[in-house]
Amino acid sequence: EVRHPYYVAVIRMEARIDTLTVTPKDKPPREVLVLLRGENRLRFPLSKVARRWAPRLKEAGTERVKALVWPRTDPKGKVNPKASIVGRLYPIPEGFEEGLLAQGRLVEVNLEKGFLILEVRKNPKGKLKEAFRLSVWASSEVLAGLPPVGSGVYLRGEYLEKERKLVARNAEP
């Protein structure tokens, strides 16, 4: 796996492109593209790039896609679906693995409650306008192995959809 020399936070997940008929009040029904996981609709909005690529992928017969979600968490440590966004969509590559990848600066470690706060800063040539912080849950073993607060850390883990939590399964300085 390639480790990038910049700050990043992304949830990689497999999704299915489908259409949904929406009937707004006082307007005719219209078809919109949505991403589904199983039978559940992903509640993350699509970026301009993802909105542009979704119909192209569907028309090309690619229904199953790799979705890259740029997550944001709320004060309770849950992923906020309205603040997070599906940044990119791709055909699923061979060897694709779902999960959380995050690299940033460690801001806080709460051993008692079992979470850490990771700050993801702007990259020199990136599109991110301002830094943001993520709450990431982790086992006591992962938390105990973290470098000191203020250090850079690379996290790998998963996104628990039902609980809307990011969970680190591995941390490296």
Side-chain angles (χ1 to χ4, degrees):
E1 184 172 334
V2 176
R3 218 170 131 175
H4 302 287
Y6 49 82
Y7 292 103
V8 63
V10 64
I11 303 169
R12 300 176 305 183
M13 60 175 56
E14 183 180 323
R16 198 172 81 247
I17 301 174
D18 206 347
T19 52
L20 180 70
T21 303
V22 177
T23 310
K25 193 175 182 179
D26 301 327
K27 293 185 179 179
R30 63 186 173 94
E31 295 278 313
V32 294
L33 286 173
V34 294
L35 293 178
L36 300 173
R37 297 240 328 141
E39 296 305 313
N40 299 323
R41 180 178 169 204
L42 279 180
R43 295 290 177 188
F44 303 118
L46 299 178
S47 69
K48 289 179 186 177
V49 172
R51 278 196 310 267
R52 208 170 38 240
W53 277 98
R56 293 176 186 172
L57 289 165
K58 187 162 176 65
E59 287 169 15
T62 307
E63 287 191 5
R64 291 178 48 238
V65 295
K66 170 178 138 179
L68 299 182
V69 178
W70 299 327
R72 300 296 185 270
T73 53
D74 63 21
K76 293 181 181 176
K78 294 190 175 212
V79 172
N80 181 341
K82 291 181 181 177
S84 303
I85 191 165
V86 175
R88 302 272 191 269
L89 296 173
Y90 300 100
I92 295 179
E94 203 168 306
F96 171 69
E97 290 182 32
E98 293 188 319
L100 166 71
L101 293 178
Q103 185 163 305
R105 186 85 31 220
L106 195 55
V107 175
E108 178 185 337
V109 176
N110 189 321
L111 293 169
E112 189 177 299
K113 293 186 179 177
F115 72 90
L116 62 95
I117 304 290
L118 184 75
E119 182 177 59
V120 179
R121 297 179 180 171
K122 296 188 323 182
N123 292 302
K125 295 181 182 178
K127 294 183 182 195
L128 184 63
K129 302 288 184 236
E130 58 188 57
F132 64 93
R133 291 181 176 185
L134 286 178
S135 295
V136 182
W137 300 88
S139 68
S140 55
E141 292 82 20
V142 170
L143 293 173
L146 289 170
V149 169
S151 300
V153 68
Y154 178 72
L155 305 174
R156 279 181 283 155
E158 62 186 307
Y159 170 54
L160 304 178
E161 289 178 65
K162 190 174 183 179
E163 297 86 359
R164 291 187 11 233
K165 289 184 176 182
L166 301 174
V167 179
R169 300 287 182 216
N170 182 290
E172 301 171 19

